[in-house]
Amino acid sequence: MSTEDFRVLAVIPPMTQLNTPYPSTAYLTGFLRSRGIPAVQEDLALALVLDLLSPTGLDQVRERAEVIPAAARTEPVAHFLAVFDRYRATIAPTVRFLQGRDATLAHRIVGRDWLPEGTRFRSLDVYVDDEGGDPLAWAFGALGLQDRARHLATLYLNDLADVLRDAIDGRFEFVRYAEQLAASQPDFDPLAAALSATPNLVDERLAALALAAVERHRPNLLLLSVPFPGSMYAALRIAQAVKAQHPQITIALGGGFVNTELRELSEPRVFDFVDVVTLDAGERPLLALIDHLQGRRSQQRLVRSFVRDAESGAVRYVNGFAEPDVPFDQTGTPTWDGLPLDRYLSLLDMLNPMNRLWSDGRWNKLTVAHGCYWKKCSFCDVSLDYIARFEQASSATLVDRIEAIVQETGQTGFHFVDEAAPPKALRALAAELQRRKVEISWWGNVRFEKTFDRELCLELAASGCIAISGGLEVASDRLLKLMKKGVSVEQVARVTQAFSEAGILVHAYLMYGFPTQNEQDTVDALEYVRQLFEEGCIASGFFHRFACTVHSPVGQQPADYGITLLPLPPGRFAKNDVGFVDPTGADHEAMGRALKKAIYNYMHGIGLDADVRSWFDIRMPKPTVGRHRIARALQEVRGSG
């Protein structure tokens, strides 16, 4: 079979973002086409949601929900059945509105008497003022009609997601669908049991959509990209359906979840569903696999791939000649051709202007550089390819890609999805964008290092930068040094202030529960964060619990961080998170609840003048950080300038 006759279908399985395509299939499709290999792509995550959230889909949901005894129905299900006719009448127009195809519907939505309102709308109660006024006026004002309507429509969809979870599939979520079946799951038994169970409505509709995509494209090779644990179950359901109807199609599994958690895969049952599992960047393993399927190389010469031995049934790792990855500047331009760009849903979960970027609007996703130029952070998987192999393309190549993508999609918004975009590369990119007079809007992730001074931030803003995210992690100089972050709290304050004063929104990734972190560290960190909000340095943030991973420096040298690892449970499937004993003994669960509550309020401008200890349900020590420490540090910089 010639290369021209060999067809590849790359699929995004549920669930990923609903506002924009996950970029892995766009990267691979663009790369394969650059090598003359016919490739197409489908977003089955979006297709499934649009199928379920339709008049016909809701009819099917109602049929299943009505079987549930009245006494056993949850509040979301009971409400859905009670006002079903309103849901059925409003679902298609609301989806069209969220797709940007019916803007005038906003007037009906904001009236609050057209959409049925379930339990998710109770979140608005926190915003009602003492006089019982408009709960959203503070956020959107008199002119925010479209934003206000999108927020209400998003709550409406979340209500329906609750119905799907309670009436159809207890694992259903718009993002972390059945995540618990795969995330750091050493044993394949939970997934195997779920996949052998009688298909529910979600399973049935996903299988039908997958088979329809295969009929349309008739591929020889089906690629399933699994970026998150919450995509693994659906990916295998897709594979199961395709294998049953089209056993001649080769199915390959790859993606971020595979690269981090299945690196020591030895579970043969995975290969009841797929034929090959590939590691790391997909380009080189795919070229080797296609050569093998076309008879140009043996199975023993596959690259960074797992297969099941036909004779013994055991899983084998094959890395024939340890061939190098395709250089980053030779991977081609991503393409979104074939994806329904006008059907993605622009959602507005959070009212915070920075947080909304993750779910609001369709962003062209692109990478400035492969890997991380710092690769020292002790909590990060620094030994793995997606971090360790740092490669750049020239600014000219990047802008060529940007121009090609804008020409193809007609959209000028870009999200640079680097682990940490290098400041030198961003400076060169900004200069090249302005030299060519290419007008885009972009945002991305960086390290808050001192290179980002006022001058550079202004240059980035002039090139179209609207927002930046970066890791402050545990806002403690002692712990930042221990985790080899390479920054201090005051440095982060100065850098984030430079971004903010340039008109660039700033999001801080925050962490709690790092080894040896105690109550004093935690309350001090929250005080630093409060001051960063108070001084306008950051617009939003998110606290996540530290997880020790087997590929990180903490997981590989735990004694250096004062902890003892717990034995990993035996298993042949996923391996990533590893438990540990921290002699500090702090109650991170209780403190985490307080940190998340505080940051949520800070993002809405609430409680910035309160003592940070007031957020905690447990007794906490007084902060040792002066209440105006950040303000003084910033004033010193202004004075010296």
Side-chain angles (χ1 to χ4, degrees), residues 80-102:
F80 171 75
L81 292 175
V83 295
F84 174 78
D85 289 343
R86 289 180 63 199
Y87 275 110
R88 195 183 195 283
T90 54
I91 186 61
T94 302
V95 166
R96 284 199 305 272
F97 168 74
L98 290 171
Q99 291 171 333
R101 297 190 289 158
D102 192 358

Side-chain angles (χ1 to χ4, degrees), residues 266-281:
S266 60
E267 173 54 75
R269 288 177 291 175
V270 172
F271 297 89
D272 293 339
F273 304 90
V274 303
D275 300 289
V276 183
V277 176
T278 66
L279 295 182
D280 300 329

Side-chain angles (χ1 to χ4, degrees), residues 512-558:
Y512 67 98
F514 192 76
T516 73
Q517 182 179 0
N518 56 32
E519 288 84 354
Q520 189 68 63
D521 294 321
T522 302
V523 78
D524 286 351
L526 185 57
E527 176 59 28
Y528 274 127
V529 170
R530 184 197 67 79
Q531 293 182 34
L532 290 171
F533 274 101
E534 186 177 49
E535 294 300 317
C537 294
I538 60 177
S540 67
F542 182 78
F543 273 105
H544 69 274
R545 177 76 177 266
F546 166 76
C548 182
T549 64
V550 294
H551 304 110
S552 68
V554 176
Q556 295 180 355
Q557 294 96 34

Side-chain angles (χ1 to χ4, degrees), residues 302-457:
L302 292 178
V303 176
R304 291 187 296 284
S305 298
F306 290 101
V307 296
R308 181 165 60 183
D309 186 83
E311 295 183 4
S312 68
V315 177
R316 290 193 297 117
Y317 177 65
V318 186
N319 192 19
F321 290 102
E323 297 173 41
D325 288 290
V326 175
F328 176 65
D329 61 359
Q330 296 176 25
T331 55
T333 300
T335 178
W336 280 263
D337 179 48
L339 296 177
L341 300 184
D342 61 340
R343 302 189 71 202
Y344 286 86
L345 304 172
S346 196
L347 305 176
L348 194 49
D349 285 298
M350 291 278 293
L351 306 184
N352 178 276
M354 176 70 196
N355 276 73
R356 67 185 291 178
L357 294 178
W358 276 276
S359 62
D360 183 16
R362 205 202 70 71
W363 301 93
N364 298 312
K365 293 184 182 282
L366 194 63
T367 308
V368 174
H370 183 281
C372 179
Y373 67 97
W374 178 251
K375 53 188 174 189
K376 296 180 182 178
C377 298
S378 58
F379 55 82
C380 194
D381 294 337
V382 295
S383 62
L384 301 188
D385 176 79
Y386 78 101
I387 298 292
R389 179 168 60 90
F390 177 66
E391 292 183 356
Q392 293 180 253
S394 69
S395 59
T397 297
L398 289 173
V399 178
D400 286 345
R401 291 175 177 175
I402 287 170
E403 289 186 311
I405 291 169
V406 171
Q407 179 68 29
E408 177 185 273
T409 67
Q411 299 193 356
T412 59
F414 284 80
H415 176 199
F416 297 136
V417 293
D418 300 68
E419 298 300 317
K424 289 183 179 179
L426 289 179
R427 186 190 297 273
L429 175 61
E432 184 69 8
L433 286 168
Q434 293 185 79
R435 186 185 72 79
R436 296 199 205 179
K437 296 182 170 55
V438 176
E439 298 294 338
I440 65 170
S441 301
W442 63 268
W443 58 293
N445 196 56
V446 301
R447 293 183 62 251
F448 291 135
E449 60 172 75
K450 61 184 178 181
T451 309
F452 290 107
D453 56 16
R454 183 174 182 274
E455 178 187 3
L456 177 53
C457 291

